[in-house]
Amino acid sequence: MKTDVDAIARLRKVVEQTGTQTAAAEQLGLTQGEVSILLAGRRAFSDETLAKLGLRRTVIEATR
């Protein structure tokens, strides 16, 4: 899913800017474990977490 890829890239950038997963988690109001799981792609980003990253989920109807 493209949104998750964008969200992972944005989360990686926050980790890079803050220096550690723990610092990024603190800034975003998450736990370090949640950050790790999201970065690994083992859990989908919630709408709340996307908003914390400045993103939002958009659903587009596919037509045939």
Side-chain angles (χ1 to χ4, degrees), residues 2-4 6-7 10 45-59:
K2 180 76 168 133
T3 301
D4 288 343
D6 291 343
R10 182 72 59 95
F45 284 75
S46 69
D47 290 340
E48 181 179 311
T49 301
L50 288 171
K52 290 176 182 182
L53 292 168
L55 300 171
R56 67 180 174 157
R57 189 178 321 277
T58 302
V59 178

Side-chain angles (χ1 to χ4, degrees), residues 29-50:
L30 303 171
T31 67
Q32 182 278 325
E34 290 171 313
V35 170
S36 178
I37 288 168
L38 290 167
L39 287 172
R42 294 193 325 254
R43 182 183 300 160
F45 284 75
S46 69
D47 290 340
E48 181 179 311
T49 301
L50 288 171

